[in-house]
Amino acid sequence: MSFAASPFVLRTGAARSPVILHVPHSAREIPADVRAGIVLDDAALERELDHIVDAHTAELAERAAGLSAVTPWRFVNRLSRLVVDPERFPDEREEMLAVGMGAVYTRTTDRKVLRPADTDPEPLLARYFRPYARAMTEAVAERLAAAGRAVIVDVHSYPSAALPYELHGDGPRPPVCLGTDAFHTPPELLAAARKAFGETGVDSPFSGTYVPLDHYGRDPRVSALMVEIRRDTYMTEPGGPAGPGLERLASALAALVDAVSG
């Protein structure tokens, strides 16, 4: 992939759709100059990517969009979260700083060194994080203008066994974990997701959901839900191929999209 093009892409949906399927962690690609700042050798980096990437979630969102009666928009990160993690707070509000996994990671999933601890995050934030945040903010604003509301469905996956970096890995690990926000996740959105996916849990092992900071905690027209799918339900862990569960999950995600598009 050439990164002369944008490191993220907004896939067009129906003009009247309020839904944005947000796929931030599906990619493995790391530009060469960013790779130079990562201390892992190539084999260790591939192993880390196997564990940290939400594999096949871009394909899941694409299939769900194709099955939806009203095609949602899709905002897809084309770079690995080891470049920057666009879903982290870029400052001290981010609890994952405690394990070296703020917006720019310095530690791996098993808490080993990924980058030197004194790495200056600012160049990566300026080059990748802030442009991503601006583009996502604009995508939400466009849905508000076109549909009067925006519904962000954050599409993720997580491992069946807790990894050392997880701060809340001791709780339940359901087939689908629904991450919520007290301000941005209305009861009807959560109920629609529970109906669509069947066996679900809420806010364990991961909680919260992504909303651009310009709207976060301010605009009730922006609703959001994180969908965390346990990887053993649709793929071979870690980092292996997708299985038949992917199609079932795509149908469930499409059902959620349809339920909140009307």
Side-chain angles (χ1 to χ4, degrees):
M1 180 184 295
S2 170
F3 292 109
S6 175
F8 49 82
V9 61
L10 178 64
R11 301 292 187 194
T12 302
R16 65 185 180 91
S17 173
V19 179
I20 300 172
L21 297 180
H22 181 221
V23 188
H25 294 158
S26 65
R28 298 176 71 96
E29 288 76 12
I30 301 173
D33 59 331
V34 180
R35 170 69 180 95
I38 292 175
V39 304
L40 303 180
D41 63 29
D42 288 347
L45 178 57
E46 288 303 307
R47 287 194 298 271
E48 179 63 11
L49 288 167
D50 285 345
H51 289 291
I52 199 68
V53 170
D54 292 351
H56 313 296
T57 51
E59 180 183 357
L60 172 64
E62 181 179 9
R63 291 192 186 192
L67 294 169
S68 300
V70 179
T71 305
W73 296 67
R74 288 178 287 130
F75 194 104
V76 182
N77 188 5
R78 299 168 69 199
L79 294 181
S80 167
R81 64 197 290 190
L82 298 185
V83 180
V84 295
D85 190 332
E87 294 217 313
R88 302 293 199 232
F89 287 111
D91 52 34
E92 67 282 352
R93 287 174 291 177
E94 181 50 61
E95 70 169 357
M96 295 302 292
L97 284 169
V99 290
M101 299 180 89
V104 175
Y105 296 0
T106 58
R107 293 279 171 168
T108 65
T109 51
D110 56 0
R111 302 201 181 194
K112 294 180 180 177
V113 176
L114 179 77
R115 291 183 175 92
D118 62 354
T119 296
D120 180 7
E122 181 55 33
L124 291 175
L125 293 176
R127 183 176 177 185
Y128 297 109
F129 185 94
R130 294 193 188 99
Y132 188 108
R134 284 195 298 270
M136 186 65 181
T137 301
E138 291 168 2
V140 170
E142 289 169 0
R143 293 303 88 218
L144 290 173
R149 60 192 180 99
V151 183
I152 302 168
V153 179
D154 221 10
V155 184
H156 291 261
S157 71
Y158 76 101
S160 56
L163 293 171
Y165 84 94
E166 294 183 25
L167 294 177
H168 310 288
D170 295 335
R173 303 180 81 82
V176 177
C177 162
L178 302 173
T180 68
D181 178 86
F183 186 90
H184 290 285
T185 309
E188 57 270 23
L189 176 55
L190 181 59
R194 283 174 156 161
K195 182 178 180 180
F197 286 101
E199 187 180 355
T200 60
V202 176
D203 291 330
S204 175
F206 299 99
S207 62
T209 188
Y210 178 80
V211 175
L213 290 178
D214 281 5
H215 301 280
Y216 183 67
R218 301 175 183 178
D219 193 340
R221 298 175 301 163
V222 180
S223 57
L225 180 75
M226 178 169 66
V227 176
E228 287 268 7
I229 300 165
R230 205 178 65 212
R231 292 175 188 155
D232 64 333
T233 65
Y234 75 93
M235 63 173 284
T236 302
E237 297 183 272
L246 190 71
E247 198 61 43
R248 174 183 56 81
L249 288 162
S251 295
L253 182 56
L256 172 59
V257 169
D258 287 343
V260 299
S261 293

